[in-house]
Amino acid sequence: MILTAAVVPHPPLLVAELAGTAAAETAALRAACRGVATGLAGVGDRWLAVGAAPEASTHTPDTRGTFAGYGADVRVALGPEAATLDPELPLPVLVAGWLRAQAGPAGERVRIEAHVLADTTGPDDARKAGEELAQSDGADVLLVLGDGAATHTARAPGAFDERAEGYDRGVADALATGDAAALAGLDPGLSDELLAAGRVPWQVLAGAVPHPAATRLEHSSAPYGVAYHVAVWELGSSGP
C-alpha cells in the first residue's frame, strides 16, 4: 500500500555536475529534493516513480542510466542490483534514480519501478492510471516527477507567457492543500502552451491520492523561468 506520495521536478540542473553556474541559484531546490528523498527512504524501500515523455515506457529496478546525454556521465541506478545500462532512459527516470542516490544509506536499499506515460495522456486516463498504481502490491512510496510552466520569463525555454504565474500559483496551492480535484482539472491545452511537463504526472497523483491525510509544500520557485514544485502528501492509515 502506498503510504506517502512526493512531487519533485526533473530538470537536469538538479544534478550538481550538470548545473554549472546555476548550482548556487538552484541550491535550495536541490536541498529540498534531497530532503524529500531522504524522508521517502525512511518510509519504505519500494518506490513507484511516475513521469511523462513523448513515448510511454516502464523501467524495472535492475536498470541503470546515465546523464551523459545532458553533459556529464553521472550514472544512476533504480535498484541495488541494477546491472543493465540503458543510455536513453527518459529524464524523469534518470532523476528518480538520482534521488535514490541522494537518500543516504537508506537509499541503497530502495528499488524503483518507473512508469512513464505519454505526455499526450488525457486527464481521465492519467487519473485512472493513478488509481491503478494506488492498488499496486508491495509499494510504499509514489514518486511523481514533473516541472511546471517553462514560460515565466522572456529567457525561459518557452519565452514569457503572462498566464504562467497564475498556472503555477494554482499548482502550488493545490499541492500545499492536497487539492487533488484542482490537479485533475488542469487543462491539457493550456499546460502544453505553457510547456508544463508535470501536468500528466500530477493528474496521476490526483487519481492515486484523491484525499491525502496531510500535505506540505516544501519548495516552489522558478529559476531561469521554469517553475519547480516539491511537495509531500501523506495518506491516512486506511490508504487512498
Side-chain angles (χ1 to χ4, degrees):
M1 181 182 72
I2 293 173
L3 303 175
T4 299
V7 172
V8 296
H10 57 57
L13 57 73
L14 274 180
V15 182
E17 294 88 339
L18 301 173
T21 58
E25 185 171 348
T26 55
L29 168 64
R30 193 173 299 108
C33 290
R34 285 173 171 161
V36 166
T38 301
L40 295 182
V43 172
D45 57 13
R46 301 164 299 179
W47 297 8
L48 289 174
V50 177
E55 295 184 4
S57 59
T58 301
H59 307 272
T60 55
D62 63 353
T63 303
R64 288 183 177 273
T66 173
F67 281 94
Y70 295 93
D73 188 18
V74 178
R75 299 200 173 192
V76 299
L78 299 189
E81 300 173 356
T84 304
L85 179 64
D86 184 343
E88 298 183 355
L89 279 183
L91 183 56
V93 183
L94 287 172
V95 173
W98 178 82
L99 286 167
R100 173 183 176 272
Q102 304 305 302
E108 297 177 2
R109 300 189 298 271
V110 169
R111 296 171 60 84
I112 302 174
E113 179 181 308
H115 296 262
V116 178
L117 280 68
D119 54 19
T120 55
T121 302
D124 288 343
D125 287 339
R127 175 182 53 78
K128 290 176 182 177
E131 292 172 351
E132 292 175 1
L133 288 176
Q135 301 304 318
S136 298
D137 293 331
D140 302 310
V141 166
L142 178 64
L143 179 63
V144 180
L145 299 112
D147 300 346
T151 53
H152 280 267
T153 66
R155 293 186 178 182
F160 175 71
D161 191 313
E162 63 183 4
R163 300 172 295 176
E165 181 179 357
Y167 180 92
D168 276 301
R169 186 186 310 114
V171 170
D173 288 347
L175 293 174
T177 61
D179 190 347
L183 297 178
L186 290 172
D187 179 72
L190 175 60
S191 300
D192 289 346
E193 291 172 9
L194 298 178
L195 304 184
R199 192 270 301 173
V200 172
W202 297 333
Q203 291 180 329
V204 172
L205 171 66
V209 190
H211 304 293
T215 61
R216 61 184 185 273
L217 182 67
E218 300 282 5
H219 181 91
S220 185
S221 63
Y224 304 102
V226 184
Y228 303 127
H229 309 293
V230 181
V232 175
W233 286 16
E234 297 177 356
L235 282 70
S237 58
S238 61

